[in-house]
Amino acid sequence: MTTEPTAVIHDIGYRHYDGVRLGRGRATLALGVQSLRGVFGLGRTVRAKIMPLLLAAIMLMPTVVSIGVMALAKQFVMPYPNYAVFMQAVIAVFLAAQSPYLVAPDLRFRVLPLYLSRPLTVTDYVLAKLAALAVALFGLLAVPLTIEFVGELLVDMPGPPHTADYLGALGGAVLHAVLLSSVGIALASFTPRRGLGVASVIAFYMFTAAVSGIFAGVLISSGRDDLAGWALLLNPFFLVDYAQSALFGTTPVNTESAPPGIATCLILLAVIAVAVTGVLLRYRKAAS
């Protein structure tokens, strides 16, 4: 009596990789590029492309209007340094929509140990995610600013072009990108669910915007105009606006009660440091 085999070993051609291993740097770069593509929906479904591309189109609308006014009326209506403050709601929605995408799936499905098996470290992973979101936010601001500046040059406005303001606004875009990406990733990383991550980022923006505005209004109405600028620092967009003014010499939105430049820059650095430290601690715990 013969018995049939109960197990079969199939040779499906697994082979060891004998090529060049590019190391941590290239692995971090690959993760960052892939994350950046995902922020704008590239390589994802059509549905995932709608929100980021729609928000990017909305960010261009003031630029189109500004160029039209410059061409027809020869008037400059949208100062470069104030663009981010004017469009802060759109930027906040973009941040809330994309921050959870970068961190929530890996936390929810517990695939972080796969990334960290080799050669990536927790720091490499966090830096790649932060850099991807920061580059996306910088592009969201820099593209309309650059288009408006090119439009100003082509329209040939009376007087010299606002080159210093444009360059200062690009520096401010870097500050916005670093601060907002740090805060957005920090808030979104504390929950593995994208919906809760979106809600936390939106709630943070609405709370800081409302509280800073209320405090500033109360202080102004009570005659304490000198403290109103400090209250506005609770809003990250005004915080960067004042730091941008201190570092690049631009004119802030609220010029009457601007806090000292050094203090504003130190507060900005402290917020970024706290946010990045929180993300690192969160992922060290998730990876353990």
Side-chain angles (χ1 to χ4, degrees):
M1 180 177 180
T2 60
T3 60
E4 296 182 359
T6 58
V8 178
I9 298 177
H10 296 280
D11 182 6
I12 57 178
Y14 283 120
R15 293 180 297 177
H16 291 288
Y17 176 72
D18 297 324
V20 178
R21 298 186 182 276
L22 301 177
R24 287 174 52 192
R26 289 298 294 270
T28 305
L29 178 62
L31 178 60
V33 171
Q34 185 65 25
S35 300
L36 177 61
R37 284 171 50 85
V39 167
F40 289 102
L42 302 179
R44 300 168 62 192
T45 63
V46 175
R47 181 181 178 183
K49 297 178 175 66
I50 295 176
M51 180 62 75
L53 297 182
L54 177 62
L55 294 174
I58 295 174
M59 286 292 295
L60 291 172
M61 289 182 181
T63 294
V64 175
V65 174
S66 179
I67 293 175
V69 173
M70 286 190 290
L72 297 176
K74 300 298 181 181
Q75 294 182 357
F76 192 74
V77 296
M78 177 56 70
Y80 300 112
N82 304 148
Y83 202 95
V85 175
F86 182 74
M87 299 297 291
Q88 61 179 284
V90 180
I91 300 172
V93 172
F94 182 89
L95 180 69
Q98 303 309 319
S99 297
Y101 158 75
L102 290 175
V103 296
D106 293 344
L107 292 172
R108 182 177 183 182
F109 298 109
R110 300 180 181 179
V111 297
L112 189 60
L114 295 179
Y115 283 105
L116 304 180
S117 58
R118 61 179 184 181
L120 286 176
T121 65
V122 171
T123 303
D124 297 332
Y125 178 91
V126 170
L127 289 179
K129 296 294 183 176
L130 289 173
L133 187 56
V135 171
L137 289 168
F138 176 76
L140 195 70
L141 277 168
V143 169
L145 289 172
T146 302
I147 293 176
E148 183 179 357
F149 182 66
V150 172
E152 180 187 0
L153 297 178
L154 295 177
V155 168
D156 193 19
M157 294 278 291
H162 299 77
T163 305
D165 282 347
Y166 165 68
L167 296 177
L170 287 184
V174 174
L175 298 180
H176 275 101
V178 175
L179 174 64
L180 295 177
S181 62
S182 302
V183 173
I185 293 292
L187 292 171
S189 66
F190 281 93
T191 174
R193 299 193 175 276
R194 291 181 61 179
L196 294 178
V198 172
S200 65
V201 177
I202 286 292
F204 173 81
Y205 164 70
M206 294 180 65
F207 176 78
T208 55
V211 170
S212 65
I214 292 172
F215 281 176
V218 170
L219 290 170
I220 292 174
S221 63
S222 60
R224 302 301 303 273
D225 294 13
D226 56 325
L227 298 178
W230 290 96
L232 289 176
L233 294 182
L234 294 172
N235 185 327
F237 291 93
F238 282 103
L239 173 60
V240 174
D241 186 45
Y242 285 130
Q244 172 184 275
S245 175
L247 293 173
F248 307 112
T250 59
T251 303
V253 174
N254 185 7
T255 59
E256 297 179 357
S257 57
I262 295 178
T264 303
C265 294
L266 290 176
I267 293 173
L268 177 66
L269 291 175
V271 173
I272 294 173
V274 170
V276 173
T277 301
V279 176
L280 287 172
L281 293 176
R282 172 70 176 96
Y283 274 94
R284 291 187 192 282
K285 180 179 179 181
S288 60

